[in-house]
Amino acid sequence: MCLFCKIAKKEIPSKVLFEEEDLLAFHDINPMAPIHVLVIPKQHIVGLGEAVAENAEVLGKLLVASRRVAEETGLVQSGFRVVVNNGPHAGQSVFHLHVHVLGGRPLAWPPG
Ligand code: 5GP
Ligand code: ZN
């Protein structure tokens, strides 16, 4: 079964920042910035490329939760970046939708 479904069900441990009814926010196992948190829906959605109109509510909740991550990790003043990698060119490696929330240092733009 899917890795992030297992994390959502606590079958695989993770460093949880917070949990809501439909989603989980936890620290990335291989952080790319001082703060690197992933926000996932508990529902299995493969990626943004597979999302449909019926997913609009949970997609909205993921963004609101990303803002909560920034607030709880002290990033609102300094700034933060929200990223969704989708497909091969974006380097998506886990095929369960996840939002990266990154911050705690200046982030280069454009990304590599
Ligand atoms: P993607 O490359 O698909 O956008 O991001 C997948 C992210 O999941 C990567 O940043 C990777 O470090 C993270 N990741 C992969 N496996 C695990 C795991 O078992 N636990 C946690 N906390 N993060 C993971
Ligand atoms: Zn899944």
Side-chain angles (χ1 to χ4, degrees):
M1 204 181 64
C2 161
L3 173 66
F4 282 3
C5 279
K6 286 184 179 168
I7 286 180
K9 290 180 179 153
K10 315 276 173 57
E11 292 170 10
I12 291 179
S14 67
K15 237 177 104 185
V16 174
L17 181 63
F18 60 79
E19 182 171 8
E20 296 181 3
E21 192 184 343
D22 302 335
L23 59 84
L24 187 72
F26 58 98
H27 293 271
D28 196 293
I29 204 166
N30 183 25
M32 292 295 148
I35 305 291
H36 186 173
V37 171
L38 302 174
V39 188
I40 63 169
K42 290 183 178 175
Q43 171 194 356
H44 183 82
I45 300 171
V46 172
L48 200 52
E50 285 74 16
V52 292
E54 286 70 38
N55 302 134
E57 189 180 351
V58 75
L59 293 178
K61 286 181 180 177
L62 288 175
L63 273 188
V64 175
S66 298
R67 203 274 175 199
R68 182 177 168 192
V69 169
E71 203 166 275
E72 295 198 2
T73 57
L75 294 179
V76 173
Q77 292 290 327
S78 55
F80 58 98
R81 182 169 294 161
V82 171
V83 173
V84 180
N85 292 320
N86 197 88
H89 278 188
Q92 183 180 5
S93 61
V94 176
F95 295 88
H96 177 127
L97 179 63
H98 50 284
V99 175
H100 297 257
V101 183
L102 298 140
R105 64 168 172 81
L107 299 165
W109 190 262

